[in-house]
Amino acid sequence: MESSSEQTEFEYLFKLLLIGDSGVGKSTLLLSFTSNAFEDLSPTIGVDFKIKHVTVNGKKLKLAIWDTAGQERFRTLTSSYYRGAQGIIMVYDVTRRETFTNLSDIWAKEIDLYSTNQDCIKMLVGNKVDRESERVVSKKEGIDFAREYGCLFLECSAKTRVNVEQCFEELVLKILETPSLLAEGSAGVKKNIFKEKPPESDASTSGCC
Ligand code: GDP
């Protein structure tokens, strides 16, 4: 996956979502992917998205990645958050078991309820593997859940950036292999509802909706 801060032309526009309990590292993961930085984030309210331009398999893509930005604490994510997403990243914290069990108890149900797209690709991500000594959810449990739920799976650390790019790359590769999602991504270019300011110092821009 190749990033670009200059790129303004793109062939496909994809909407990706991050979901999961508060504190699992969604915002940090997004920040780590879009700006390569790790910092302690104070939780904010509202739905944010960041834009990143990448080239994958020679295709120029614009990724609009949505983050709940704290809204999930109030259980008020609405159908508009899910609408039109081609990819969903379900994040849990390998050091907090309830964040893993809530994926099946809460988040998977919410996806089934609100996701408008049958073909939408899902990716299960176990974050904070840098805290190995505090791990309570094994890798095998993640693999088993992913198999049962029919999604991709990776463990990562948003802090050390281990596997962060791979999470997004594997998801995007799978989207590119899915004709209906490719067609949506191409149609999205015409709509291009994610307006952005010209990039400043890095590849990402953000907005709030
Ligand atoms: P969100 O509520 O899911 O968006 O979670 P945040 O991104 O705000 O992260 C919650 C806390 O976990 C913050 O203090 C982060 O600095 C920390 N954090 C996020 N990712 C990692 C990680 O991979 N490793 C470690 N050790 N801490 C992390």
Side-chain angles (χ1 to χ4, degrees):
M1 184 182 286
E2 210 180 290
S3 307
S4 166
S5 55
E6 301 295 319
Q7 203 172 344
T8 49
E9 283 180 19
F10 50 94
E11 299 159 77
Y12 300 96
L13 170 63
F14 294 125
K15 176 178 173 180
L16 311 180
L17 306 181
L18 288 156
I19 63 168
D21 282 6
S22 185
V24 295
K26 299 181 296 299
S27 302
T28 311
L29 195 62
L30 180 55
L31 193 72
S32 179
F33 178 61
T34 52
S35 68
N36 302 353
F38 178 82
E39 60 187 271
D40 222 344
L41 301 166
S42 38
T44 48
I45 309 296
V47 173
D48 272 327
F49 70 86
K50 281 188 183 291
I51 297 287
K52 179 146 170 146
H53 289 273
V54 292
T55 302
V56 178
N57 281 354
K59 294 190 172 73
K60 290 179 178 168
L61 315 177
K62 177 173 174 172
L63 306 178
I65 311 164
W66 290 44
D67 175 23
T68 58
Q71 202 65 12
E72 73 281 20
R73 282 177 295 149
F74 308 106
R75 310 285 320 121
T76 53
L77 291 178
T78 58
S79 54
S80 63
Y81 185 69
Y82 291 88
R83 192 176 303 132
Q86 284 80 36
I88 301 180
I89 300 183
M90 306 160 69
V91 188
Y92 66 96
D93 175 347
V94 298
T95 72
R96 284 168 60 213
R97 175 156 298 276
E98 76 273 17
T99 66
F100 182 67
T101 50
N102 280 345
L103 285 178
S104 47
D105 291 350
I106 298 173
W107 298 107
K109 288 185 183 138
E110 196 157 297
I111 294 174
D112 291 344
L113 195 63
Y114 290 131
S115 178
T116 52
N117 199 325
Q118 291 276 319
D119 294 332
C120 178
I121 309 296
K122 285 156 234 147
M123 168 94 172
L124 176 68
V125 171
N127 188 36
K128 307 197 188 180
V129 290
D130 57 286
R131 291 168 63 182
E132 186 58 38
S133 61
E134 295 161 66
R135 178 197 280 272
V136 294
V137 183
S138 71
K139 188 169 184 178
K140 178 166 186 313
E141 287 177 282
I143 292 169
D144 289 347
F145 179 98
R147 191 169 294 146
E148 194 183 320
Y149 195 60
C151 55
L152 303 167
F153 173 65
L154 270 178
E155 287 189 335
C156 77
S157 165
K159 181 174 185 174
T160 63
R161 303 201 71 247
V162 164
N163 268 353
V164 168
E165 189 155 318
Q166 285 83 344
C167 289
F168 290 90
E169 184 166 19
E170 285 196 19
L171 181 66
V172 166
L173 280 170
K174 196 79 180 168
I175 290 172
L176 290 174
E177 284 171 11
T178 311
S180 64
L181 300 179
L182 213 50
E184 281 182 15
S186 174
V189 177
K190 290 185 200 110
K191 288 193 225 142
N192 193 9
I193 54 171
F194 305 107
K195 302 285 183 228
E196 59 181 303
K197 292 181 290 181
E200 288 158 12
S201 55
D202 64 23
S204 64
T205 51
S206 58
C208 193
C209 347

